[in-house]
Amino acid sequence: MSLHIITWGGMIITAAAVTGAALIEPNPVIIASGLLAILAYVSSLYLGRKGYVRQASVSLVVNLWLALTVINWFFGGVGAASFGSYLMIILIAGVLLEMKTAVIFTLLTILSGGGMVWAEARQWLPEPLSPITPMSLWIGYSTYAAGLTFMLYVTTRAFFIAMERQKQMTARLKISKALLQEAQSIAMLGSWNWDLVTDGVEWSDEMYSITGLSQEQLPSTFMEYLAYVHPDDQAAVQREVALAREGNGRFTIQYRFIRPDGAIRHLQTRGHIVAKEAGQPVRMVG
């Protein structure tokens, strides 16, 4: 959606600038740069409609940056009215691609501007293809301001859309969690997550009801949980867990659990290993 909006918005703003330049003060450099920018927008729109969204985004940013660099080189270097438009391209790169791409084009812009200053100091820059007049500056800066304002609108809109989606996802997650807790309460089922790297344990709310433990009594490690298991069943629990970790992957075991009030509960626990791509176990859930 952002690519579509930016492409059409950029074409409209650029077309307005080219029309203004042609009617108010015909300037071949401004008109040529505008047409190059429109060509970049059109090619990006074509790729986007074909489904190549990332390629279209990369094409748009690269073509705009190269076209602007060429125009600035032949239109006064860092003193060109269009030099500030680099900021708009950097914003487009950040919105359509990622922050890393925006940083790359920022560095390229700094190096390009430095190269123009260095070339100008040695009088290597060509004479501007057309004079820099107040009217051309006004057209250039107006286009830059309109483009910057448009990009601000796009980024703000994208931010609020993302925030709204995040709120909706959070609300759905809360509902799902509430339904899961209700289902576990009805079925007297609890779920747990054991981090095999840190040895930390997380429980669902129903686990507290089953074991009779409070949140303050939550075992922080597997060995602390094992201390509540009946002494005659501890070895079997450890053996099944060890077999699962060594390669079996899953386990099911029945054992006796001693609640803090001394009551004994007969529990059945099922669990399975969650491993990295390399096969290294990182979590056990059940």
Side-chain angles (χ1 to χ4, degrees):
M1 179 60 72
S2 294
L3 175 63
H4 184 78
I5 294 174
I6 289 175
T7 302
W8 278 107
M11 281 198 296
I12 292 172
I13 293 173
T14 306
V18 172
T19 302
L23 295 177
I24 299 174
E25 182 180 337
N27 188 308
V29 175
I30 294 179
I31 295 174
S33 63
L35 293 177
L36 285 174
I38 290 175
L39 181 62
Y41 286 121
V42 170
S43 62
S44 176
L45 186 63
Y46 174 78
L47 289 173
R49 288 187 171 180
K50 290 293 184 180
Y52 304 107
V53 177
R54 181 168 181 82
Q55 294 88 332
S57 301
V58 173
S59 172
L60 176 62
V61 174
V62 171
N63 288 334
L64 287 178
W65 191 90
L66 290 176
L68 183 60
T69 300
V70 172
I71 293 302
N72 288 335
W73 182 266
F74 289 100
F75 198 40
V78 295
S82 58
F83 192 86
S85 297
Y86 277 123
L87 180 57
M88 187 173 63
I89 297 176
I90 293 170
L91 284 174
I92 293 175
V95 172
L96 295 182
L97 299 169
E98 59 271 333
M99 187 62 192
K100 179 174 66 176
T101 306
V103 171
I104 292 174
F105 277 92
T106 299
L107 295 176
L108 288 174
T109 299
I110 293 173
L111 293 175
S112 174
M116 292 179 191
V117 172
W118 184 75
E120 185 176 10
R122 286 158 179 77
Q123 298 183 345
W124 289 353
L125 276 183
E127 289 294 325
L129 296 181
S130 60
I132 302 176
T133 64
M135 184 60 70
S136 64
L137 288 174
W138 177 77
I139 294 175
Y141 289 136
S142 296
T143 305
Y144 167 59
L148 198 59
T149 302
F150 176 71
M151 283 306 302
L152 181 61
Y153 161 75
V154 172
T155 53
T156 304
R157 182 175 182 271
F159 172 76
F160 282 110
I161 290 176
M163 289 292 293
E164 185 62 29
R165 288 178 179 173
Q166 182 65 35
K167 289 180 181 179
Q168 294 175 357
M169 290 178 60
T170 302
R172 287 195 294 266
L173 182 61
K174 288 181 179 180
I175 294 174
S176 299
K177 184 178 180 181
L179 292 175
L180 176 61
Q181 289 176 351
E182 183 66 19
Q184 288 186 343
S185 177
I186 294 173
M188 296 188 66
L189 294 174
S191 57
W192 48 269
N193 178 15
W194 177 21
D195 190 322
L196 300 178
V197 178
T198 65
D199 201 27
V201 179
E202 296 179 354
W203 279 6
S204 67
D205 291 343
E206 186 61 20
M207 285 291 294
Y208 297 104
S209 176
I210 294 172
T211 62
L213 298 173
S214 64
Q215 292 189 356
E216 290 74 18
Q217 295 172 311
L218 170 66
S220 59
T221 65
F222 172 70
M223 294 307 296
E224 288 184 12
Y225 177 81
L226 193 65
Y228 289 98
V229 176
H230 193 284
D232 295 342
D233 298 336
Q234 290 182 3
V237 172
Q238 286 182 296
R239 182 177 60 254
E240 290 296 326
V241 171
L243 288 174
R245 296 187 64 172
E246 290 172 3
N248 189 25
R250 295 179 177 273
F251 75 93
T252 301
I253 187 171
Q254 294 180 348
Y255 57 94
R256 289 162 290 179
F257 186 92
I258 304 175
R259 291 162 58 102
D261 58 6
I264 296 179
R265 285 285 183 90
H266 292 264
L267 305 181
Q268 176 175 280
T269 296
R270 296 180 179 180
H272 67 274
I273 292 291
V274 177
K276 291 182 177 180
E277 294 182 358
Q280 178 184 359
V282 291
R283 288 190 299 124
M284 182 178 288
V285 297

